[in-house]
Amino acid sequence: MSEPLQGALAPPMVNGEAVFEAPWQGRVLGMAHALAAAGVFEWDEFRDCLIEALAQWDREGEGAFEYYDHFQRALETLLSRRGLVPADALGARASALASRPHGHDHNHDHDHPPADRDSPVR
């Protein structure tokens, strides 16, 4: 990767670490980093898509500024432009995930123990 995102492009940070309000936000940040590290796209190319997403929001002036919404939109745009994920497939998948029941009726201000102590998944 080139340089870290800075200024308005930087994710919300506290004490030098990214801050997330929901699990999906950390996942989308992780996916972008992993795909760039794997050579699927150049980090600078992703940064340019993020700049475009932020500029579009600024021009339209609609809604509150939600950083990770723009970050996700930039990643989706880049994957679609590269022909890696069709845009209509992204919309269908997002709708399917949004319609799923959460499955928990308690907050997630805690970690669950792994199902198997030897499992790396937490």
Side-chain angles (χ1 to χ4, degrees), residues 35-113:
L35 291 168
V40 174
F41 53 77
E42 295 293 323
W43 188 250
D44 290 344
E45 188 178 6
F46 171 76
R47 186 195 65 224
D48 292 345
C49 283
L50 182 55
I51 290 169
E52 288 175 27
L54 293 171
Q56 180 180 353
W57 173 82
D58 192 42
R59 281 190 307 273
E60 294 171 1
E62 294 182 21
F65 180 81
E66 298 291 339
Y67 177 81
Y68 289 106
D69 289 347
H70 304 297
F71 198 95
Q72 180 178 347
R73 187 171 303 114
L75 182 58
E76 290 171 351
T77 297
L78 181 55
L79 294 176
S80 179
R81 283 182 187 167
R82 295 246 162 167
L84 298 169
V85 180
D88 58 341
L90 287 171
R93 183 70 175 145
S95 295
L97 290 172
S99 67
R100 281 189 342 186
H102 185 279
H104 285 69
D105 57 358
H106 64 276
N107 71 34
H108 267 126
D109 292 338
H110 63 277
D111 289 333
H112 287 277

Side-chain angles (χ1 to χ4, degrees), residues 11-12 18-23 25-27 29 68:
V19 177
F20 309 107
E21 293 179 6
Q25 296 171 338
R27 291 182 193 118
L29 179 65
Y68 289 106

